[in-house]
Amino acid sequence: MVHHTRIRLAATAAVAVAALGLSACGSGSGDEVVDKPKAKASAKADSGSNEKEPAAEKSSAAPDVAKVGDTLALKGMESGSGLDVTVVKVVDNAKSSDEFFAPESGNRWIGVQFQLVNTGTKVYSDAPVNGAKLADDQGQQFGTVLADITAGPSMSSDVRLKPGAKALGWVVFEVPKASKAATVTWGMDSGFAEQIGEWKL
């Protein structure tokens, strides 16, 4: 009973935050889908063989579409707000760390570990779970569920990051057992920013 009350309260808070974000935005958002990841820093090649250099350059180049392990640079609604967002890991059929709380019958949990790094000049303050969605290969979209899983600590529902600071945590989605996860999206300002990041799963 306590868990259901907690979920209802959290859901109410999430709706309130989303409403604030919508009023600040004024109109629809998500005008730009960002799926081109930042290039990963590559180690310097040894100066022995010139033949290996092109291969090294190719491996350090960013792929066409972001996937697990890739970082996207996203901007918020306010000038000077920005984050580097990485989908670090994904756990399908994630297990609850609470014996009294589990997915509904016929459903399963998918855990996605996000890392947020404040690359802007302003303090980032938001509930990151509000900006996340998961879609399956049929185009069905699923929101988050406030759950703790055995994979690790959940993303905080109230994250504040000064410029240069970072946050790491799991976000959980509840989907039908038959659904095949295809993409996960995330946006700043509770998902109301114009830029929405997308990763292929």
Side-chain angles (χ1 to χ4, degrees):
M1 200 67 169
V2 173
H3 298 292
H4 293 300
T5 303
R6 185 179 67 196
I7 292 164
R8 275 199 298 273
L9 289 173
T12 303
V15 170
V17 171
L20 286 172
L22 183 59
S23 63
C25 183
S27 62
S29 56
D31 297 329
E32 180 187 354
V33 175
V34 178
D35 62 1
K36 176 73 173 171
K38 296 178 69 174
K40 296 177 181 176
S42 60
K44 296 282 185 184
D46 292 335
S47 57
S49 171
N50 291 331
E51 293 180 19
K52 291 184 179 179
E53 286 183 11
E57 287 174 10
K58 187 174 182 181
S59 65
S60 65
D64 292 335
V65 179
K67 58 186 186 304
V68 177
D70 289 329
T71 300
L72 297 177
L74 301 176
K75 292 179 181 177
M77 291 188 292
E78 287 187 62
S79 176
S81 64
L83 293 175
D84 273 359
V85 183
T86 307
V87 168
V88 182
K89 296 176 187 175
V90 175
V91 173
D92 203 338
N93 202 22
K95 305 301 180 189
S96 176
S97 59
D98 183 341
E99 61 178 319
F100 300 107
F101 188 42
E104 290 185 13
S105 178
N107 291 349
R108 74 188 195 276
W109 285 346
I110 295 178
V112 179
Q113 189 182 42
F114 284 94
Q115 177 179 271
L116 314 177
V117 179
N118 188 349
T119 57
T121 57
K122 296 187 174 182
V123 171
Y124 166 79
S125 180
D126 199 7
V129 294
N130 292 341
K133 279 191 171 61
L134 186 141
D136 67 11
D137 60 353
Q138 301 301 309
Q140 298 179 101
Q141 293 195 344
F142 306 94
T144 59
V145 57
L146 296 176
D148 294 321
I149 58 176
T150 57
S154 297
M155 179 68 76
S156 172
S157 60
D158 181 20
V159 173
R160 290 179 61 83
L161 300 174
K162 65 182 181 180
K166 65 182 177 181
L168 178 71
W170 290 88
V171 175
V172 181
F173 303 87
E174 184 163 339
V175 304
K177 286 183 176 178
S179 290
K180 183 180 179 183
T183 61
V184 64
T185 58
W186 190 86
M188 294 184 67
D189 303 301
S190 289
F192 288 100
E194 289 187 5
Q195 288 190 334
I196 300 296
E198 181 180 272
W199 293 259
K200 195 171 183 179
L201 300 177

